Amino acid sequence: GINVQDLKKLIDVEIRDGFIKFHKDKYFLPNQSTRLSLYRHLDKKTKSYYHNSYAYGLKEIYKHDKSKLSEIAEHFIKEGNIDQLIYFCELAGDYLKENYITNDAIRFFRNTIKYLTQEEQVKKLDIIIKVLETLYSTGRWDEFKNVYADAELLARKLGDKESRAKIYNLDGSVCFFRGDIEKAMKYFRRAEYLMLDNITSETYADTMRFLGRSYLQMGKLLKAVQFFKMTLYLGERINNKEIKAKALENLGRVYRLMSQYDFSLNYYNQSLAIYKNITNTAGVARTLEKIGVVNFYINNYDKALTFIKQSNRINVQLDNKLSICNNYGNIGSIYFKLNRLSQAKYNFQK
């Protein structure tokens, strides 16, 4: 192998060129073993230069590849380039959040928050809300409560009504999933009040949907339909496909509870088509499960099993533990109906 001095001479040349070799109009990187051997022998200043140069090289080569955002952000963290660190940590966090890689998403968001100045409190609040959304989506509700207080206090301090409404919607949703519907409604009504002067917004549409879900849970089905149809109208008004998909999904659930299964499947299939169109993987998984449940109710057990297993495969990839549990429970119920008791027991235990 090459000795250390020769290695350092080789890499010094590459560092002077931005640690990216350029040859015949093509970029390429030194191999991993060369980089690791080099790194152990660099002083602090050179290491900083290495990370900065390497990050800029990755930016150029992989500018259309979002999966590389984390690696770019890591190099800027180690180099200490604050402006680039903030920018790429947020982008990496957004990408990881969308793909349910939640621990890393939160880590990058928190790195962003750490380096924001006192003059950047509005941006800080936006990132804290992203942390809350990530914690909520994975059921980490005790951690959520710890972050919630800081977010709500900062939103009040900034006089930011919409951010406060978003925070109340999230807190209400936590209460909802913990079974405290009365408390959830209080938070949703607070959010509704804050947004009355801005009803053609995503936040107000979300609030309508959350209120609809609460009425649904209380058994007030017609009231729930009213709020979900309002959500659907707002989604169309502001041309937001995700809001429309969620409204249709919830309408599917109401009509299932009304035993109007054809209507239910119609709404679910519309919702599924939109989720697929906007590449909302979690939405696809949810809706597949719900289509499976409707088929369970109309005794199409094989079809139900197919849909719910599709949902489960996606949820396992997303590491969405709450949804995985629901999948296994529903699969167990189907096997029980089919009198395949050992398989039913296995899924219930999972």
Side-chain angles (χ1 to χ4, degrees):
I2 192 168
N3 67 45
V4 171
Q5 292 305 316
D6 288 339
L7 179 66
K8 290 179 77 174
K9 287 177 184 176
L10 169 67
I11 301 302
D12 282 345
V13 173
E14 292 174 350
I15 287 177
R16 284 199 298 274
D17 293 332
F19 204 68
I20 300 295
K21 291 181 177 179
F22 188 78
H23 178 65
K24 293 183 179 178
D25 298 323
K26 291 184 179 179
Y27 289 101
F28 65 97
L29 304 175
N31 63 48
Q32 180 72 5
S33 61
T34 302
R35 294 200 302 271
L36 292 175
S37 298
L38 158 72
Y39 195 81
R40 286 194 291 269
H41 297 88
L42 296 180
D43 57 38
K44 186 175 180 180
K45 183 177 180 181
T46 310
K47 281 182 180 179
S48 177
Y49 188 79
Y50 157 79
H51 287 296
N52 191 58
S53 302
Y54 201 75
Y56 276 104
L58 287 171
K59 273 177 63 179
E60 180 62 29
I61 295 168
Y62 298 112
K63 54 190 170 188
H64 301 301
D65 185 353
K66 289 185 178 182
S67 69
K68 295 293 182 181
L69 288 168
S70 301
E71 190 176 354
I72 295 169
E74 291 283 11
H75 282 292
F76 281 127
I77 289 170
K78 290 173 182 175
E79 189 272 335
N81 185 328
I82 302 301
D83 289 340
Q84 293 293 322
L85 180 161
I86 289 170
Y87 178 73
F88 278 99
C89 279
E90 183 178 5
L91 286 180
D94 288 338
Y95 173 77
L96 294 165
K97 175 175 175 277
E98 289 169 7
N99 289 276
Y100 283 80
I101 308 171
T102 52
N103 287 335
D104 285 341
I106 290 169
R107 179 168 62 85
F108 281 115
F109 286 143
R110 284 179 169 157
N111 267 298
T112 308
I113 292 166
K114 180 179 176 182
Y115 290 98
L116 290 171
T117 66
Q118 285 298 315
E119 289 72 39
E120 296 173 296
Q121 295 299 290
V122 173
K123 187 172 185 64
K124 179 180 179 180
L125 180 58
D126 288 341
I127 306 299
I128 293 174
I129 289 173
K130 290 180 182 182
V131 172
L132 283 174
E133 290 169 345
T134 310
L135 292 170
Y136 162 73
S137 69
T138 49
R140 293 159 64 177
W141 295 330
D142 290 334
E143 290 178 70
F144 176 96
K145 282 294 182 185
N146 293 333
V147 178
Y148 166 83
D150 291 338
E152 204 264 347
L153 183 64
L154 182 56
R156 282 183 178 275
K157 181 179 175 182
L158 294 172
D160 187 336
K161 287 185 178 182
E162 184 158 7
S163 290
R164 280 176 65 197
K166 287 179 182 178
I167 293 163
Y168 291 146
N169 278 337
L170 285 166
D171 203 14
S173 296
V174 170
C175 295
F176 177 90
F177 279 107
R178 284 182 157 170
D180 193 342
I181 306 303
E182 186 178 342
K183 190 173 182 180
M185 288 285 280
K186 288 180 181 177
Y187 283 113
F188 297 145
R189 288 297 186 191
R190 286 184 193 176
E192 180 188 22
Y193 176 76
L194 287 168
M195 295 303 298
L196 285 176
D197 57 352
N198 188 16
I199 63 171
T200 53
S201 66
E202 292 181 18
T203 304
Y204 187 77
D206 284 339
T207 306
M208 294 297 99
R209 179 168 55 87
F210 294 141
L211 285 165
R213 285 197 312 178
S214 300
Y215 281 117
L216 178 60
Q217 194 68 18
M218 294 160 65
K220 298 180 179 180
L221 302 187
L222 294 178
K223 193 80 172 173
V225 168
Q226 177 187 337
F227 277 91
F228 292 143
K229 286 190 173 178
M230 172 61 80
T231 308
L232 181 59
Y233 165 76
L234 290 169
E236 290 170 345
R237 176 89 179 268
I238 62 180
N239 195 29
N240 186 304
K241 290 182 178 179
E242 184 167 5
I243 287 172
K244 287 169 63 178
K246 288 179 178 178
L248 290 162
E249 180 185 349
N250 280 291
L251 284 165
R253 186 180 175 202
V254 177
Y255 282 98
R256 175 181 67 78
L257 292 171
M258 291 177 173
S259 300
Q260 297 186 36
Y261 299 119
D262 287 342
F263 281 105
S264 177
L265 285 172
N266 180 43
Y267 281 123
Y268 279 143
N269 282 317
Q270 288 183 66
S271 175
L272 180 62
I274 296 173
Y275 282 136
K276 285 180 176 179
N277 179 257
I278 63 175
T279 324
N280 184 326
T281 312
V284 169
R286 267 197 326 272
T287 313
L288 285 170
E289 179 179 39
K290 289 171 180 177
I291 291 171
V293 170
V294 175
N295 279 282
F296 173 84
Y297 276 102
I298 58 179
N299 302 323
N300 286 338
Y301 298 129
D302 289 338
K303 205 168 184 180
L305 201 56
T306 299
F307 278 108
I308 296 172
K309 282 186 174 181
Q310 286 179 35
S311 172
N312 184 249
R313 284 193 290 273
I314 296 170
N315 284 320
V316 168
Q317 290 174 354
L318 297 175
D319 194 30
N320 191 335
K321 292 182 173 59
L322 186 61
S323 294
I324 292 168
C325 288
N326 288 335
N327 290 152
Y328 285 132
N330 284 320
I331 292 169
S333 296
I334 295 168
Y335 281 129
F336 184 81
K337 281 286 188 180
L338 292 170
N339 203 32
R340 291 158 68 175
L341 301 183
S342 61
Q343 287 168 292
K345 180 181 178 182
Y346 172 77
N347 280 279
F348 287 142
Q349 286 175 336
K350 289 189 79 171

Short mmCIF file of all heavy atoms in Angstrom, two decimals, residues 203-253:
data_model
loop_
_atom_site.label_atom_id
_atom_site.label_comp_id
_atom_site.label_asym_id
_atom_site.label_seq_id
_atom_site.Cartn_x
_atom_site.Cartn_y
_atom_site.Cartn_z
N THR A 203 -54.00 25.42 7.21
CA THR A 203 -54.17 25.22 8.66
C THR A 203 -55.64 25.18 9.03
O THR A 203 -56.07 24.34 9.84
CB THR A 203 -53.45 26.34 9.43
OG1 THR A 203 -52.07 26.37 9.04
CG2 THR A 203 -53.54 26.11 10.93
N TYR A 204 -56.46 26.07 8.46
CA TYR A 204 -57.89 26.06 8.76
C TYR A 204 -58.54 24.78 8.22
O TYR A 204 -59.38 24.17 8.88
CB TYR A 204 -58.58 27.28 8.16
CG TYR A 204 -60.03 27.42 8.58
CD1 TYR A 204 -60.36 27.88 9.85
CD2 TYR A 204 -61.06 27.07 7.72
CE1 TYR A 204 -61.69 28.00 10.25
CE2 TYR A 204 -62.39 27.18 8.10
CZ TYR A 204 -62.70 27.64 9.37
OH TYR A 204 -64.01 27.75 9.76
N ALA A 205 -58.12 24.35 7.02
CA ALA A 205 -58.65 23.11 6.46
C ALA A 205 -58.31 21.92 7.36
O ALA A 205 -59.15 21.04 7.59
CB ALA A 205 -58.09 22.89 5.05
N ASP A 206 -57.07 21.90 7.87
CA ASP A 206 -56.68 20.84 8.80
C ASP A 206 -57.56 20.86 10.05
O ASP A 206 -57.97 19.81 10.56
CB ASP A 206 -55.21 20.98 9.20
CG ASP A 206 -54.25 20.52 8.11
OD1 ASP A 206 -54.68 19.74 7.24
OD2 ASP A 206 -53.09 20.94 8.14
N THR A 207 -57.84 22.06 10.54
CA THR A 207 -58.67 22.19 11.74
C THR A 207 -60.07 21.63 11.49
O THR A 207 -60.64 20.93 12.34
CB THR A 207 -58.77 23.67 12.18
OG1 THR A 207 -57.45 24.20 12.33
CG2 THR A 207 -59.52 23.80 13.49
N MET A 208 -60.65 21.91 10.33
CA MET A 208 -61.96 21.37 9.98
C MET A 208 -61.93 19.83 9.97
O MET A 208 -62.85 19.17 10.45
CB MET A 208 -62.41 21.88 8.61
CG MET A 208 -62.68 23.38 8.53
SD MET A 208 -64.05 23.93 9.61
CE MET A 208 -63.12 24.56 11.03
N ARG A 209 -60.85 19.29 9.44
CA ARG A 209 -60.73 17.82 9.39
C ARG A 209 -60.61 17.23 10.79
O ARG A 209 -61.23 16.21 11.11
CB ARG A 209 -59.52 17.43 8.53
CG ARG A 209 -59.28 15.94 8.44
CD ARG A 209 -58.25 15.63 7.35
NE ARG A 209 -57.01 16.35 7.56
CZ ARG A 209 -56.01 15.91 8.32
NH1 ARG A 209 -56.13 14.76 8.97
NH2 ARG A 209 -54.91 16.61 8.45
N PHE A 210 -59.82 17.89 11.64
CA PHE A 210 -59.66 17.39 13.01
C PHE A 210 -60.97 17.45 13.78
O PHE A 210 -61.30 16.54 14.56
CB PHE A 210 -58.57 18.20 13.74
CG PHE A 210 -57.19 18.02 13.17
CD1 PHE A 210 -56.33 19.11 13.09
CD2 PHE A 210 -56.75 16.80 12.72
CE1 PHE A 210 -55.05 18.97 12.56
CE2 PHE A 210 -55.46 16.64 12.18
CZ PHE A 210 -54.62 17.73 12.10
N LEU A 211 -61.74 18.51 13.58
CA LEU A 211 -63.06 18.60 14.22
C LEU A 211 -63.98 17.50 13.70
O LEU A 211 -64.73 16.88 14.47
CB LEU A 211 -63.67 19.98 13.99
CG LEU A 211 -63.06 21.11 14.84
CD1 LEU A 211 -63.47 22.48 14.29
CD2 LEU A 211 -63.49 20.98 16.30
N GLY A 212 -63.91 17.25 12.39
CA GLY A 212 -64.70 16.17 11.81
C GLY A 212 -64.35 14.83 12.42
O GLY A 212 -65.25 14.03 12.75
N ARG A 213 -63.06 14.57 12.60
CA ARG A 213 -62.65 13.30 13.22
C ARG A 213 -63.16 13.18 14.65
O ARG A 213 -63.52 12.10 15.10
CB ARG A 213 -61.13 13.18 13.21
CG ARG A 213 -60.56 12.86 11.85
CD ARG A 213 -59.13 12.35 11.93
NE ARG A 213 -58.28 13.17 12.78
CZ ARG A 213 -57.01 12.92 13.02
NH1 ARG A 213 -56.44 11.85 12.48
NH2 ARG A 213 -56.28 13.70 13.77
N SER A 214 -63.17 14.30 15.34
CA SER A 214 -63.65 14.29 16.73
C SER A 214 -65.14 13.97 16.79
O SER A 214 -65.58 13.15 17.61
CB SER A 214 -63.36 15.63 17.40
OG SER A 214 -61.98 15.90 17.42
N TYR A 215 -65.92 14.61 15.92
CA TYR A 215 -67.35 14.31 15.88
C TYR A 215 -67.59 12.85 15.47
O TYR A 215 -68.50 12.19 15.97
CB TYR A 215 -68.07 15.25 14.92
CG TYR A 215 -68.32 16.62 15.52
CD1 TYR A 215 -67.74 17.77 14.97
CD2 TYR A 215 -69.12 16.76 16.65
CE1 TYR A 215 -67.97 19.02 15.52
CE2 TYR A 215 -69.35 18.01 17.22
CZ TYR A 215 -68.77 19.13 16.65
OH TYR A 215 -68.99 20.36 17.22
N LEU A 216 -66.76 12.36 14.57
CA LEU A 216 -66.86 10.96 14.16
C LEU A 216 -66.63 10.04 15.35
O LEU A 216 -67.39 9.07 15.57
CB LEU A 216 -65.83 10.68 13.06
CG LEU A 216 -65.73 9.26 12.51
CD1 LEU A 216 -67.05 8.84 11.90
CD2 LEU A 216 -64.61 9.17 11.48
N GLN A 217 -65.62 10.34 16.14
CA GLN A 217 -65.30 9.52 17.31
C GLN A 217 -66.42 9.59 18.35
O GLN A 217 -66.65 8.62 19.08
CB GLN A 217 -63.98 10.00 17.93
CG GLN A 217 -63.37 9.06 18.94
CD GLN A 217 -62.88 7.76 18.31
OE1 GLN A 217 -62.69 7.69 17.10
NE2 GLN A 217 -62.69 6.73 19.12
N MET A 218 -67.13 10.70 18.39
CA MET A 218 -68.24 10.87 19.32
C MET A 218 -69.53 10.22 18.80
O MET A 218 -70.56 10.24 19.47
CB MET A 218 -68.47 12.36 19.58
CG MET A 218 -67.32 13.04 20.32
SD MET A 218 -67.32 14.85 20.12
CE MET A 218 -68.83 15.30 20.96
N GLY A 219 -69.47 9.69 17.58
CA GLY A 219 -70.65 9.04 17.00
C GLY A 219 -71.60 9.98 16.30
O GLY A 219 -72.69 9.57 15.87
N LYS A 220 -71.20 11.25 16.13
CA LYS A 220 -72.06 12.23 15.45
C LYS A 220 -71.68 12.24 13.97
O LYS A 220 -70.97 13.13 13.49
CB LYS A 220 -71.89 13.60 16.10
CG LYS A 220 -72.31 13.62 17.58
CD LYS A 220 -72.14 14.99 18.20
CE LYS A 220 -72.59 15.00 19.67
NZ LYS A 220 -72.44 16.33 20.29
N LEU A 221 -72.18 11.24 13.26
CA LEU A 221 -71.71 10.97 11.91
C LEU A 221 -72.09 12.07 10.92
O LEU A 221 -71.27 12.44 10.06
CB LEU A 221 -72.23 9.62 11.43
CG LEU A 221 -71.85 8.41 12.31
CD1 LEU A 221 -72.29 7.12 11.64
CD2 LEU A 221 -70.36 8.38 12.61
N LEU A 222 -73.31 12.56 11.00
CA LEU A 222 -73.73 13.59 10.05
C LEU A 222 -72.94 14.89 10.26
O LEU A 222 -72.61 15.60 9.31
CB LEU A 222 -75.23 13.85 10.17
CG LEU A 222 -76.12 12.66 9.75
CD1 LEU A 222 -77.59 13.01 9.97
CD2 LEU A 222 -75.86 12.28 8.30
N LYS A 223 -72.66 15.19 11.53
CA LYS A 223 -71.83 16.36 11.84
C LYS A 223 -70.42 16.17 11.27
O LYS A 223 -69.81 17.10 10.73
CB LYS A 223 -71.77 16.56 13.35
CG LYS A 223 -71.22 17.89 13.80
CD LYS A 223 -72.25 18.98 13.70
CE LYS A 223 -71.76 20.27 14.34
NZ LYS A 223 -72.69 21.39 14.11
N ALA A 224 -69.90 14.94 11.38
CA ALA A 224 -68.57 14.64 10.85
C ALA A 224 -68.55 14.83 9.33
O ALA A 224 -67.61 15.42 8.79
CB ALA A 224 -68.18 13.21 11.21
N VAL A 225 -69.60 14.35 8.65
CA VAL A 225 -69.70 14.51 7.19
C VAL A 225 -69.63 15.99 6.82
O VAL A 225 -68.94 16.39 5.87
CB VAL A 225 -70.99 13.88 6.64
CG1 VAL A 225 -71.24 14.31 5.20
CG2 VAL A 225 -70.91 12.36 6.72
N GLN A 226 -70.34 16.82 7.59
CA GLN A 226 -70.36 18.26 7.33
C GLN A 226 -68.95 18.84 7.36
O GLN A 226 -68.56 19.60 6.46
CB GLN A 226 -71.24 18.94 8.39
CG GLN A 226 -71.29 20.44 8.30
CD GLN A 226 -72.04 21.06 9.49
OE1 GLN A 226 -72.85 20.39 10.13
NE2 GLN A 226 -71.75 22.30 9.77
N PHE A 227 -68.16 18.47 8.36
CA PHE A 227 -66.81 19.02 8.48
C PHE A 227 -65.86 18.44 7.43
O PHE A 227 -65.00 19.15 6.90
CB PHE A 227 -66.26 18.78 9.90
CG PHE A 227 -66.73 19.81 10.88
CD1 PHE A 227 -67.89 19.62 11.62
CD2 PHE A 227 -66.03 21.00 11.05
CE1 PHE A 227 -68.34 20.58 12.51
CE2 PHE A 227 -66.47 21.97 11.95
CZ PHE A 227 -67.63 21.76 12.68
N PHE A 228 -66.01 17.17 7.10
CA PHE A 228 -65.15 16.58 6.08
C PHE A 228 -65.45 17.15 4.70
O PHE A 228 -64.54 17.34 3.89
CB PHE A 228 -65.29 15.05 6.07
CG PHE A 228 -64.75 14.39 7.31
CD1 PHE A 228 -65.40 13.29 7.86
CD2 PHE A 228 -63.60 14.86 7.93
CE1 PHE A 228 -64.90 12.68 9.00
CE2 PHE A 228 -63.09 14.25 9.07
CZ PHE A 228 -63.75 13.15 9.61
N LYS A 229 -66.72 17.44 4.44
CA LYS A 229 -67.07 18.04 3.15
C LYS A 229 -66.57 19.48 3.08
O LYS A 229 -66.15 19.96 2.01
CB LYS A 229 -68.57 17.95 2.89
CG LYS A 229 -69.01 16.53 2.54
CD LYS A 229 -70.43 16.44 2.04
CE LYS A 229 -70.74 15.03 1.53
NZ LYS A 229 -72.13 14.87 1.07
N MET A 230 -66.56 20.17 4.21
CA MET A 230 -65.95 21.51 4.26
C MET A 230 -64.45 21.41 3.98
O MET A 230 -63.89 22.23 3.23
CB MET A 230 -66.20 22.14 5.62
CG MET A 230 -65.44 23.45 5.85
SD MET A 230 -65.89 24.77 4.67
CE MET A 230 -67.41 25.35 5.42
N THR A 231 -63.81 20.40 4.56
CA THR A 231 -62.37 20.18 4.31
C THR A 231 -62.12 19.93 2.83
O THR A 231 -61.17 20.48 2.24
CB THR A 231 -61.86 18.99 5.14
OG1 THR A 231 -62.21 19.16 6.51
CG2 THR A 231 -60.35 18.87 5.01
N LEU A 232 -62.95 19.10 2.22
CA LEU A 232 -62.81 18.78 0.81
C LEU A 232 -62.98 20.04 -0.04
O LEU A 232 -62.19 20.29 -0.97
CB LEU A 232 -63.84 17.73 0.40
CG LEU A 232 -63.81 17.25 -1.06
CD1 LEU A 232 -62.47 16.64 -1.41
CD2 LEU A 232 -64.95 16.26 -1.31
N TYR A 233 -63.96 20.85 0.29
CA TYR A 233 -64.19 22.11 -0.42
C TYR A 233 -62.96 23.02 -0.31
O TYR A 233 -62.51 23.61 -1.31
CB TYR A 233 -65.43 22.81 0.15
CG TYR A 233 -65.55 24.25 -0.28
CD1 TYR A 233 -65.98 24.59 -1.57
CD2 TYR A 233 -65.20 25.28 0.60
CE1 TYR A 233 -66.08 25.92 -1.96
CE2 TYR A 233 -65.29 26.61 0.21
CZ TYR A 233 -65.72 26.93 -1.07
OH TYR A 233 -65.81 28.24 -1.46
N LEU A 234 -62.41 23.14 0.90
CA LEU A 234 -61.25 24.00 1.09
C LEU A 234 -60.04 23.46 0.34
O LEU A 234 -59.25 24.24 -0.23
CB LEU A 234 -60.93 24.13 2.59
CG LEU A 234 -61.95 24.94 3.41
CD1 LEU A 234 -61.68 24.77 4.90
CD2 LEU A 234 -61.90 26.41 3.03
N GLY A 235 -59.88 22.14 0.34
CA GLY A 235 -58.77 21.54 -0.41
C GLY A 235 -58.85 21.86 -1.89
O GLY A 235 -57.84 22.15 -2.54
N GLU A 236 -60.08 21.83 -2.43
CA GLU A 236 -60.27 22.19 -3.84
C GLU A 236 -60.05 23.68 -4.06
O GLU A 236 -59.46 24.10 -5.06
CB GLU A 236 -61.69 21.79 -4.28
CG GLU A 236 -61.86 20.27 -4.36
CD GLU A 236 -63.32 19.84 -4.54
OE1 GLU A 236 -64.20 20.69 -4.32
OE2 GLU A 236 -63.54 18.66 -4.87
N ARG A 237 -60.51 24.48 -3.11
CA ARG A 237 -60.40 25.95 -3.22
C ARG A 237 -58.94 26.41 -3.25
O ARG A 237 -58.57 27.29 -4.01
CB ARG A 237 -61.15 26.58 -2.04
CG ARG A 237 -61.06 28.09 -1.95
CD ARG A 237 -62.17 28.78 -2.71
NE ARG A 237 -62.07 30.22 -2.59
CZ ARG A 237 -62.68 30.95 -1.65
NH1 ARG A 237 -63.46 30.36 -0.76
NH2 ARG A 237 -62.55 32.26 -1.61
N ILE A 238 -58.11 25.77 -2.41
CA ILE A 238 -56.70 26.19 -2.36
C ILE A 238 -55.81 25.26 -3.18
O ILE A 238 -54.59 25.36 -3.15
CB ILE A 238 -56.19 26.28 -0.91
CG1 ILE A 238 -56.26 24.93 -0.20
CG2 ILE A 238 -56.96 27.33 -0.14
CD1 ILE A 238 -55.75 24.96 1.24
N ASN A 239 -56.46 24.33 -3.92
CA ASN A 239 -55.75 23.40 -4.81
C ASN A 239 -54.67 22.61 -4.08
O ASN A 239 -53.51 22.54 -4.53
CB ASN A 239 -55.15 24.16 -6.00
CG ASN A 239 -54.73 23.21 -7.11
OD1 ASN A 239 -55.31 22.14 -7.28
ND2 ASN A 239 -53.71 23.59 -7.87
N ASN A 240 -55.06 22.02 -2.95
CA ASN A 240 -54.13 21.20 -2.17
C ASN A 240 -54.59 19.75 -2.24
O ASN A 240 -55.60 19.36 -1.64
CB ASN A 240 -54.09 21.68 -0.72
CG ASN A 240 -53.04 20.96 0.10
OD1 ASN A 240 -53.03 19.74 0.18
ND2 ASN A 240 -52.15 21.72 0.71
N LYS A 241 -53.85 18.94 -2.99
CA LYS A 241 -54.26 17.55 -3.22
C LYS A 241 -54.23 16.71 -1.95
O LYS A 241 -55.08 15.83 -1.76
CB LYS A 241 -53.36 16.92 -4.29
CG LYS A 241 -53.57 17.48 -5.69
CD LYS A 241 -52.68 16.79 -6.70
CE LYS A 241 -52.92 17.32 -8.10
NZ LYS A 241 -52.05 16.67 -9.10
N GLU A 242 -53.27 16.97 -1.09
CA GLU A 242 -53.18 16.16 0.14
C GLU A 242 -54.39 16.40 1.04
O GLU A 242 -54.94 15.46 1.62
CB GLU A 242 -51.89 16.47 0.89
CG GLU A 242 -51.71 15.58 2.11
CD GLU A 242 -50.31 15.63 2.68
OE1 GLU A 242 -49.50 16.44 2.20
OE2 GLU A 242 -50.05 14.86 3.61
N ILE A 243 -54.81 17.65 1.17
CA ILE A 243 -56.00 17.96 1.97
C ILE A 243 -57.22 17.28 1.38
O ILE A 243 -58.06 16.70 2.10
CB ILE A 243 -56.20 19.48 2.09
CG1 ILE A 243 -55.14 20.07 3.04
CG2 ILE A 243 -57.60 19.82 2.58
CD1 ILE A 243 -55.12 21.58 3.09
N LYS A 244 -57.35 17.30 0.06
CA LYS A 244 -58.46 16.62 -0.61
C LYS A 244 -58.43 15.13 -0.33
O LYS A 244 -59.46 14.51 -0.01
CB LYS A 244 -58.41 16.87 -2.12
CG LYS A 244 -58.80 18.28 -2.54
CD LYS A 244 -58.47 18.55 -4.00
CE LYS A 244 -59.23 17.64 -4.94
NZ LYS A 244 -58.92 17.97 -6.37
N ALA A 245 -57.24 14.53 -0.42
CA ALA A 245 -57.12 13.08 -0.20
C ALA A 245 -57.52 12.71 1.22
O ALA A 245 -58.22 11.71 1.43
CB ALA A 245 -55.68 12.64 -0.47
N LYS A 246 -57.10 13.52 2.19
CA LYS A 246 -57.44 13.22 3.58
C LYS A 246 -58.93 13.38 3.84
O LYS A 246 -59.54 12.61 4.59
CB LYS A 246 -56.63 14.11 4.52
CG LYS A 246 -55.16 13.74 4.59
CD LYS A 246 -54.38 14.66 5.50
CE LYS A 246 -52.92 14.23 5.60
NZ LYS A 246 -52.13 15.16 6.46
N ALA A 247 -59.54 14.38 3.21
CA ALA A 247 -60.99 14.58 3.36
C ALA A 247 -61.75 13.39 2.78
O ALA A 247 -62.68 12.85 3.39
CB ALA A 247 -61.42 15.87 2.68
N LEU A 248 -61.36 12.94 1.59
CA LEU A 248 -61.99 11.79 0.95
C LEU A 248 -61.80 10.52 1.78
O LEU A 248 -62.72 9.70 1.92
CB LEU A 248 -61.42 11.58 -0.45
CG LEU A 248 -61.79 12.66 -1.49
CD1 LEU A 248 -60.84 12.62 -2.68
CD2 LEU A 248 -63.24 12.49 -1.94
N GLU A 249 -60.60 10.38 2.33
CA GLU A 249 -60.30 9.23 3.20
C GLU A 249 -61.25 9.20 4.40
O GLU A 249 -61.80 8.15 4.76
CB GLU A 249 -58.85 9.31 3.65
CG GLU A 249 -58.39 8.19 4.55
CD GLU A 249 -56.97 8.41 5.06
OE1 GLU A 249 -56.27 9.32 4.56
OE2 GLU A 249 -56.56 7.68 5.98
N ASN A 250 -61.44 10.35 5.01
CA ASN A 250 -62.32 10.41 6.18
C ASN A 250 -63.79 10.21 5.81
O ASN A 250 -64.55 9.59 6.57
CB ASN A 250 -62.11 11.74 6.91
CG ASN A 250 -60.88 11.73 7.79
OD1 ASN A 250 -60.83 11.05 8.80
ND2 ASN A 250 -59.86 12.48 7.39
N LEU A 251 -64.19 10.72 4.67
CA LEU A 251 -65.56 10.46 4.20
C LEU A 251 -65.77 8.97 3.97
O LEU A 251 -66.85 8.42 4.27
CB LEU A 251 -65.84 11.25 2.93
CG LEU A 251 -66.09 12.75 3.14
CD1 LEU A 251 -66.00 13.51 1.82
CD2 LEU A 251 -67.44 13.00 3.81
N GLY A 252 -64.74 8.30 3.46
CA GLY A 252 -64.82 6.86 3.29
C GLY A 252 -65.07 6.15 4.61
O GLY A 252 -65.88 5.20 4.68
N ARG A 253 -64.43 6.63 5.64
CA ARG A 253 -64.62 6.00 6.96
C ARG A 253 -66.03 6.24 7.50
O ARG A 253 -66.67 5.33 8.04
CB ARG A 253 -63.60 6.55 7.96
CG ARG A 253 -63.66 5.82 9.27
CD ARG A 253 -62.66 6.33 10.27
NE ARG A 253 -62.85 5.66 11.56
CZ ARG A 253 -62.46 6.16 12.72
NH1 ARG A 253 -61.84 7.33 12.77
NH2 ARG A 253 -62.68 5.50 13.84
#
